[in-house]
Amino acid sequence: MESVLAPSGGTDVANGGPVEHGFPHLDTVRAAITALYKRLSYDTVRSFAVSVPPADVAFSDQDDLHLGAQRVAHELVRHYGLPDARMIISFREMTHAAYVELTAGPEYFIELNDRFRAHRRDIGAALAHEVMHVFLHRLDLAFHGTRDNEILTDTAAAYLGAGWLLLDAYREDAASSQKLGYLTPEEFGYVLAKRALLFGEDPAIWFTSPQAYTAYTKGLAQARRDEQQPPLTAAGWAGRRRYAKDRRYAQDHCDPGAHPGAPYSFSTAGRGPLSVSFPCPTCHQRIRVPVQGRVRARCGLCRTVLECDT
Ligand SMILES: [Zn+2]
Ligand SMILES: [Zn+2]
């Protein structure tokens, strides 16, 4: 089994063509967060409350290339809790940014694009992704298909505290753009914001790239919208109005009806009482509650308490 870290758009790390923006992979990103909770459990996710500190993965162009890469990899191995794994790092010319051979271990061979010799500060980002592959491989957690599996890898790296490095490697100026990983900058921002909301953390202070900061604020806005969807009481006026209309339809017709674009769906067990299901704003596991006004629910997967007005 193998894994490659592709740069955006093209085959070169620094000039990969136009960077994709927005939230095209949001469904897969959310499924990845749910899968992480299911596979790791609530307690293990909570054990990642502290992100990789910038000082631990700092890598200047004056540092020795191999010793420095080895040191940063070791920090990531420690952060992800893979104490017996050893990363052997080498550099070579290749089209991809990085590559890891997923074997039984305990030694794993990671190859980094030669280009990182001159861009050492981004080595931490590439390794955050590649070492996460090893973490997921050992958990035996994978999504079907390369694209979805890479999105899972980026999402897991970001949610478990090392992915801010990947977003910070996104830089654009008049002459060039560079981005690592498979999520768009805004999607990285989204996962980092979900994490920030969970742990009360502010990753914005770590960004050295102004574009990364902008993407983070967009991701944060999207993450906040997750918390403001009906039937959650935090939902806005327009959302609540539409919800009431959809609920009335379901009640009047004894038919859940179709509500395209709405995150919730109604159902009746035969002619039984109406219930509504919707994604948990934290872990995106679907939750079902009876339609009976104010309801407090607790997500069984991530334990978030949800105030609902059904
Ligand atoms: Zn990968
Ligand atoms: Zn949840």
Side-chain angles (χ1 to χ4, degrees):
M1 220 175 139
E2 62 181 39
S3 162
V4 289
L5 178 59
S8 63
T11 53
D12 183 70
V13 181
N15 297 301
V19 173
E20 192 178 20
H21 283 281
F23 300 93
H25 315 108
L26 203 51
D27 288 346
T28 311
V29 167
R30 287 169 170 164
I33 293 173
T34 312
L36 269 183
Y37 274 97
K38 283 190 173 163
R39 193 71 187 82
L40 289 178
S41 84
Y42 166 84
D43 288 318
T44 307
V45 171
R46 296 298 300 199
S47 74
F48 285 91
V50 178
S51 283
V52 178
D56 286 4
V57 285
F59 197 158
S60 84
D61 286 345
Q62 281 74 52
D63 289 342
D64 179 86
L65 180 68
H66 288 92
L67 286 178
Q70 219 62 57
R71 175 181 56 80
V72 172
H74 182 74
E75 288 302 331
L76 290 162
V77 162
R78 207 174 59 167
H79 177 78
Y80 291 146
L82 302 165
D84 58 330
R86 272 211 331 125
M87 307 295 150
I88 318 289
I89 303 186
S90 60
F91 294 81
R92 72 173 173 90
E93 219 184 295
M94 57 178 164
T95 52
H96 290 289
Y99 171 93
V100 63
E101 185 89 38
L102 293 172
T103 57
E107 288 186 330
Y108 298 90
F109 293 89
I110 297 178
E111 292 177 321
L112 296 178
N113 192 302
D114 258 341
R115 217 177 172 283
F116 286 111
R117 290 174 184 273
H119 295 268
R120 296 183 189 185
R121 67 173 173 168
D122 294 328
I123 285 178
L127 291 176
H129 178 96
E130 298 306 325
V131 179
M132 178 48 76
H133 270 299
V134 173
F135 179 89
L136 294 174
H137 176 65
R138 287 191 163 194
L139 277 180
D140 197 23
L141 176 57
F143 277 1
H144 193 70
T146 305
R147 169 191 167 277
D148 286 3
N149 207 45
E150 294 295 354
I151 289 169
L152 169 67
T153 306
D154 277 341
T155 303
Y159 204 73
L160 299 181
W164 65 268
L165 283 159
L166 279 150
L167 179 52
D168 199 40
Y170 163 52
R171 284 184 287 273
E172 273 190 69
D173 59 37
S176 68
S177 65
Q178 82 151 30
K179 185 183 79 72
L180 288 175
Y182 295 77
L183 302 189
T184 67
E186 292 76 16
E187 287 167 340
F188 271 120
Y190 171 76
V191 182
L192 293 172
K194 306 271 296 178
R195 178 189 157 77
L197 293 170
L198 181 71
F199 292 117
E201 172 180 77
D202 182 12
I205 55 173
W206 301 323
F207 296 130
T208 59
S209 154
Q211 291 82 16
Y213 179 79
T214 305
Y216 176 70
T217 59
K218 289 180 180 167
L220 179 60
Q222 178 64 47
R224 288 201 193 284
R225 279 195 288 278
D226 288 351
E227 299 181 333
Q228 294 163 357
Q229 298 297 320
L232 298 171
T233 52
W237 179 81
R240 294 222 54 83
R241 218 181 97 148
R242 184 174 172 207
Y243 178 85
K245 190 168 153 262
D246 291 340
R247 181 185 54 203
R248 206 174 313 123
Y249 181 90
Q251 280 165 335
D252 292 352
H253 296 81
C254 285
D255 169 4
H259 318 297
Y264 50 80
S265 60
F266 295 99
S267 66
T268 48
R271 294 231 152 196
L274 193 66
S275 63
V276 61
S277 79
F278 59 97
C280 167
T282 302
C283 72
H284 297 276
Q285 165 96 320
R286 281 193 91 79
I287 294 170
R288 178 176 297 283
V289 295
V291 171
Q292 54 178 37
R294 289 261 177 170
V295 175
R296 174 178 287 176
R298 190 191 179 99
C299 174
L301 192 53
C302 75
R303 305 191 191 173
T304 303
V305 174
L306 304 163
E307 303 288 347
C308 313
D309 189 351
T310 58

